[in-house]
Amino acid sequence: MTLKNWRELRPGGVIAEPGNSTAVETGSWGVTQPLVDFGVCVHCMICWIYCPDSCFLVREGRLVGVDYDHCKGCGICAVECPKKCIVMREGARDLVLGS
Amino acid sequence: MALVTRHSRLVKEVRGTPVALDGATLVAYAMRQVRPDVVAAYPITPQTVITEAFSEFVANGEVETEFIQTESEHAALSACIGASAAGGRVQTATSGPGLALMWEVMYVASGNRLPIVMHLCARALSAPLNILCDHSDVMGIRDAGWVILLAETAQEAYDNAIQAVRIAEHPEVMLPVASVMDGFITTHGVERSEVLPDEAVAEFVGTYRAPYSILDVAHPVTVGPLDFHDFYFEHKRQQIEAMERAREVVCQVAEEYGTLTGRCYGAVEPYRMEDAEVATLVIGSVAGTLRTVVDDLRRQGIRAGMVKLRCFRPFPGRELAALLGGVGVVGILDRSISPGGAGHPLFTEVSSALCQRGCAPRMRSFVYGLGGRTPAPAQFRQAYGDLLADRQLGAEASAPVYLGLRE
């Protein structure tokens, strides 16, 4: 990605495009990522509520995956999951998405 | 033809009302006239008069400003930052140690490009404890990215206070402005000045239209985000550019103000410099004393001159080079010190600006008036004498002279 030069940037670093944090991929920050066992998951959405980076992908009321581009690997989801169907695993991203 | 032009200009001028007020009250009067949305301040000598007078205007309902008396100067300027980011016209006032406590937040204001105006009553920094005038506080913020204007008189403090709003809020600038007057000498001395009618000031400063507001939920913005190695440098470069653009804006606003009031200002103000062979460069209230000294010397046949600097940031190096480059010998008068530095603050600035332009005359550094030491005419007659001796001796760069110091 080519970063804007000083003439192109908004003065003072003001961000006037709400939600543009999705443009910055932070998925490489963590060591481990969550791996969800969908056979056990009951779609209670506790992980979705607790995730500080909104990384749990939901479609029609059901958990369908993890946004590994933005997950920083904090592991809160694995701790909070009442079914213990989320484990933090090195290489989980590659396992799910393919390397 | 010239007369007609002069006449038509005069017709447009607004008649001022003469008043006998101290500089601080006069500045509070100007604050009332520019009608800030928010003023956040903490009283400190000698600025207290501004805070008191302005809060009285608020209490009397003479201005609809939200006045916040904070728990410290750090909090005062922080409150200004929030209010300014919300899109308000915002002002504060402080002095010496109060400014020192604001130091961290000074950079936050300029870095976020918030057009806050500060009325600064120059005061010495402790220790030893001192509440009187010098420019130690002013020089401490020279790199903080604020436009810095310095007044000689109460009238200038009033005029600068009004112009500061236009400079700060100019879309090409968007930088905070410190409008400086000398503590006690200007803040507390009662002088004859002229004030403009309220409506003339309101029209001159106009309405501030902020580019964004943190309270505008329909257009949400983030102000002051984390700015690392990948962007910080670019944003600092923008600040440098904004300050460069302020050069032109300071002069444009002064010209417009001159058309309105008949009082004309520039970045520098020369006095009897046209054929000067010896000159001094000063800032602040001492300029009046220097004028009388220059007149005395002229009567004795010495071609003396003086340059007063009104705008310290952006620094008018080009203008100073044009005025001082051809003068045989120049004395730079500092009212603050930089122990162990290449020179005292103003001396370093001026000598650097002139050397860069390849027109450096012989220069000598003088320090006067620290901690409120009275700057007496005799001190400056001595300074001109030293300068003339320097010139005749062809001496090499000589040590700073401390005027009025018991040796």
Side-chain angles (χ1 to χ4, degrees), chain B residues 180-307:
Chain B
V180 185
M181 73 210 86
D182 282 349
F184 287 110
I185 301 159
T186 312
T187 57
H188 287 57
V190 174
E191 297 175 39
R192 182 206 183 276
S193 306
E194 284 184 18
V195 293
L196 291 166
D198 287 357
E199 55 279 12
V201 176
E203 194 183 331
F204 184 80
V205 296
T207 307
Y208 174 46
R209 305 237 178 267
Y212 59 82
S213 165
I214 49 172
L215 297 181
D216 182 358
V217 290
H219 304 94
V221 293
T222 301
V223 175
L226 189 64
D227 209 35
F228 267 154
H229 56 283
D230 43 1
F231 285 105
Y232 182 90
F233 203 165
E234 278 70 23
H235 288 129
K236 287 293 148 188
R237 179 66 184 85
Q238 291 178 334
Q239 272 181 258
I240 295 167
E241 191 68 9
M243 191 62 90
E244 286 304 314
R245 289 193 296 256
R247 283 181 201 288
E248 185 66 26
V249 174
V250 167
C251 293
Q252 277 170 13
V253 172
E255 201 173 313
E256 206 180 311
Y257 192 79
T259 308
L260 180 72
T261 62
R263 291 189 295 277
C264 301
Y265 296 100
V268 292
E269 186 186 303
Y271 184 70
R272 304 190 81 163
M273 284 299 294
E274 49 292 331
D275 62 343
E277 58 180 351
V278 55
T280 54
L281 181 114
V282 301
I283 55 176
S285 60
V286 82
T289 311
L290 264 298
R291 272 191 214 94
T292 65
V293 171
V294 166
D295 289 347
D296 286 349
L297 294 170
R298 286 270 172 179
R299 274 192 288 274
Q300 294 166 29
I302 297 164
R303 287 185 289 146
M306 184 270 285
V307 176

Side-chain angles (χ1 to χ4, degrees), chain A residues 14-15, chain B residues 37-38 66 68 79-90 114 210-223:
Chain A
V14 170
I15 297 170
Chain B
D37 296 295
V38 174
E66 184 69 36
I68 310 170
C80 287
I81 284 169
S84 184
R89 174 174 286 163
V90 181
L114 300 170
Y212 59 82
S213 165
I214 49 172
L215 297 181
D216 182 358
V217 290
H219 304 94
V221 293
T222 301
V223 175

Side-chain angles (χ1 to χ4, degrees), chain B residues 294-342:
Chain B
V294 166
D295 289 347
D296 286 349
L297 294 170
R298 286 270 172 179
R299 274 192 288 274
Q300 294 166 29
I302 297 164
R303 287 185 289 146
M306 184 270 285
V307 176
K308 181 181 82 179
L309 192 68
R310 170 180 176 250
C311 183
F312 183 69
R313 284 289 182 272
F315 193 81
R318 191 167 49 83
E319 290 85 342
L320 287 180
L323 282 166
L324 300 172
V327 179
V329 59
V330 175
I332 292 111
L333 270 57
D334 267 288
R335 201 169 188 167
S336 66
I337 52 168
S338 175

Side-chain angles (χ1 to χ4, degrees), chain A residues 1 3 5 19 38 66 73 94:
Chain A
M1 183 167 69
L3 299 178
N5 69 37
F38 283 99
V66 179
D94 295 342

Side-chain angles (χ1 to χ4, degrees), chain A residues 38 41 43 45 56-66 96:
Chain A
F38 283 99
C41 175
H43 307 279
M45 300 300 157
F56 285 91
L57 307 173
V58 175
R59 197 175 304 138
E60 292 169 359
R62 294 173 70 81
L63 187 67
V64 295
V66 179
V96 174

